[in-house]
């Protein structure tokens, strides 16, 4: 054993050091960090666009049929994605059982079904930007519950970023007027926020033992099964709706549901629920801009200032303290 070990002498140190590539100050880790941020940024953009699409089709589809149409399309898209992924892996997907399956069904019903219905109903009373603002009370609930129940703790930067971002969200609400301040819509938005937070926390626990793609597909399938009694009403509304509205429902199923939820599940599996969910505080700011440009829903000065503050809170929450050499 003594002969197989290597002892580094002082004369060896300069040689070992000379073989190491030089490190450029300020550039360490930027490439991997950027690659890790791109999926989350994609999720934020897709989810922000969902508020616009829901508002766009509100006149053609009722809340429950719209939810069913969205997650029905999402389930089909996720089935295709799961088949492609399984084929590349050369193995069938491993289906969860027992407690893991119960958690998947739980967040599928809470998030894919109930949350989607509540959000759709809220956007019959609120503009897209205000609805996004109210729903994004959820990151606060996730961060607090995750810290208490999942052992994620309360990092200082996360709490500061959360408070700054939430202050921005509150600033958007403070400037509401007319359709921006509908009490029924705000109440429905808060219900959606609670369902959203519960779905995230259930999903975080489920992803400890369930693959992200499989879990997302099964969750969406569970939500679809719950809403299937509204299938006749959905078919009736599809026949009567303009083509543009129906295409928007298809987009909701493929983009903000299938693609976004897979990216989200993979990111959630590798991150704390509180820290990751805080990034969604940027969604109201993005939604306000999209709503302004696509739907002509002009934001107030308060909304613009609040959106900037919300983005600042996300930036603070996602930074990590620098380590000294």
């Amino acid at each position: 054993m003594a002969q197989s070990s290597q002892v580094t002498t002082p004369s060896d140190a300069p040689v070992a050091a000379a073989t190491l590539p030089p490190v450029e100050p300020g550039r360490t880790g930027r490439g991997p960090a950027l690659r890790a941020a791109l999926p989350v940024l994609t999720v934020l953009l897709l989810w922000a666009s969902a508020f616009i699409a829901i508002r766009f089709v509100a006149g053609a589809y009722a809340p429950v049929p719209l939810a069913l149409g969205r997650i029905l399309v999402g389930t089909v898209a996720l089935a295709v994605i799961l088949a492609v992924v399984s084929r590349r892996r050369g193995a069938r997907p491993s289906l969860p059982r027992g407690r893991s399956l119960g958690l998947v069904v739980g967040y599928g019903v809470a998030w894919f079904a109930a949350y989607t219905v509540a959000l759709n109903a809220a956007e019959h009373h609120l503009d897209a930007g205000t609805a996004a603002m109210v729903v994004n009370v959820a990151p606060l609930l996730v961060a607090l519950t995750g810290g208490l129940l999942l052992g994620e703790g309360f990092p200082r930067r996360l709490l500061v970023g959360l408070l700054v971002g939430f202050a921005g969200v509150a600033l958007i609400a403070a400037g509401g007027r007319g359709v921006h301040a509908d009490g029924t819509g705000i109440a429905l938005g808060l219900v959606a926020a609670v369902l959203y937070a519960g779905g995230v926390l259930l999903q975080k626990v489920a992803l400890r033992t369930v693959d992200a793609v499989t879990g997302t597909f099964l969750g969406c399938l569970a939500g679809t099964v719950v809403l299937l009694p509204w299938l006749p009403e959905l078919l009736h509304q599809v026949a009567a709706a303009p083509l543009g509205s129906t295409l928007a429902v298809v987009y909701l199923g493929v983009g903000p549901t299938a693609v976004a939820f897979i990216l989200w599940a993979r990111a959630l599996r590798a991150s704390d629920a509180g820290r990751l969910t805080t990034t969604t505080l940027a969604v109201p700011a993005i939604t306000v801009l999209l709503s302004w440009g696509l739907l002509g829903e002009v934001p107030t000065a308060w909304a613009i200032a609040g959106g900037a503050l919300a983005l600042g809170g996300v930036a603070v929450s996602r930074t990590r303290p620098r380590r000294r050499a």
Side-chain angles (χ1 to χ4, degrees):
M1 291 296 295
Q3 293 179 353
S4 61
S5 61
Q6 295 181 354
V7 180
T8 304
T9 64
S11 60
D12 295 328
V15 177
T19 61
L20 296 175
V23 178
E24 299 182 28
R27 297 189 63 179
T28 303
R30 284 189 179 181
L34 181 60
R35 287 192 295 272
L38 283 177
V40 177
L41 178 60
T42 302
V43 170
L44 300 183
L45 292 173
L46 288 172
W47 281 355
S49 71
F51 287 95
I52 307 301
I54 292 169
R55 182 70 174 167
F56 175 72
V57 304
Y61 287 92
V64 181
L66 173 57
L68 174 58
R70 172 181 177 174
I71 63 175
L72 183 59
V73 173
T75 300
V76 173
L78 286 165
V80 173
I81 295 172
L82 181 60
V84 172
V85 171
S86 300
R87 185 174 181 180
R88 288 183 177 179
R89 293 175 178 174
R92 293 181 179 180
S94 178
L95 299 179
R97 298 180 180 179
R99 178 173 178 268
S100 297
L101 180 59
L103 289 169
V104 171
V105 172
Y107 78 70
V109 173
W111 202 356
F112 284 97
Y115 160 81
T116 306
V117 172
L119 174 59
N120 294 345
E123 291 207 52
H124 276 71
H125 301 272
L126 300 174
D127 65 278
T130 305
M133 176 278 301
V134 176
V135 168
N136 273 277
V137 172
L140 177 62
L141 302 177
V142 172
L144 294 177
T145 310
L148 291 172
L149 300 182
L150 301 183
E152 296 180 354
F154 301 95
R156 182 180 301 177
R157 289 174 182 263
L158 171 62
L159 292 178
V160 171
L162 187 65
L163 292 175
V164 171
F166 190 71
V169 168
L171 200 59
I172 297 174
R177 60 174 182 268
V179 70
H180 303 269
D182 186 290
T184 301
I186 290 175
L188 288 167
L190 290 175
V191 171
V194 173
L195 292 167
Y196 169 12
V200 170
L201 294 168
L202 287 172
Q203 186 183 36
K204 176 61 179 176
V205 179
L207 288 173
R208 294 173 179 172
T209 56
V210 181
D211 174 74
V213 179
T214 304
T216 304
F217 165 71
L218 292 177
C220 197
L221 179 61
T224 301
V225 171
V226 169
L227 297 180
L228 272 180
W230 282 267
L231 182 59
E233 188 175 351
L234 170 63
L235 295 176
H236 175 74
Q237 293 184 11
V238 167
L243 178 60
S245 296
T246 302
L247 291 176
V249 175
V250 174
Y251 167 76
L252 282 168
V254 175
T257 302
V259 175
F261 271 90
I262 283 180
L263 294 176
W264 170 266
R266 287 180 170 176
L268 183 62
R269 195 172 190 179
S271 174
D272 289 345
R275 178 178 292 275
L276 180 63
T277 310
T278 303
T279 62
T280 63
L281 286 170
V283 169
I286 301 171
T287 304
V288 165
L289 294 176
L290 291 176
S291 178
W292 188 3
L294 299 177
L295 301 178
E297 296 176 341
V298 181
T300 64
W302 290 85
I304 295 174
L309 199 58
L311 289 172
V314 172
V316 172
S317 71
R318 297 298 293 177
T319 58
R320 298 179 181 274
R322 294 183 179 180
R323 295 181 180 179
R324 293 185 179 182

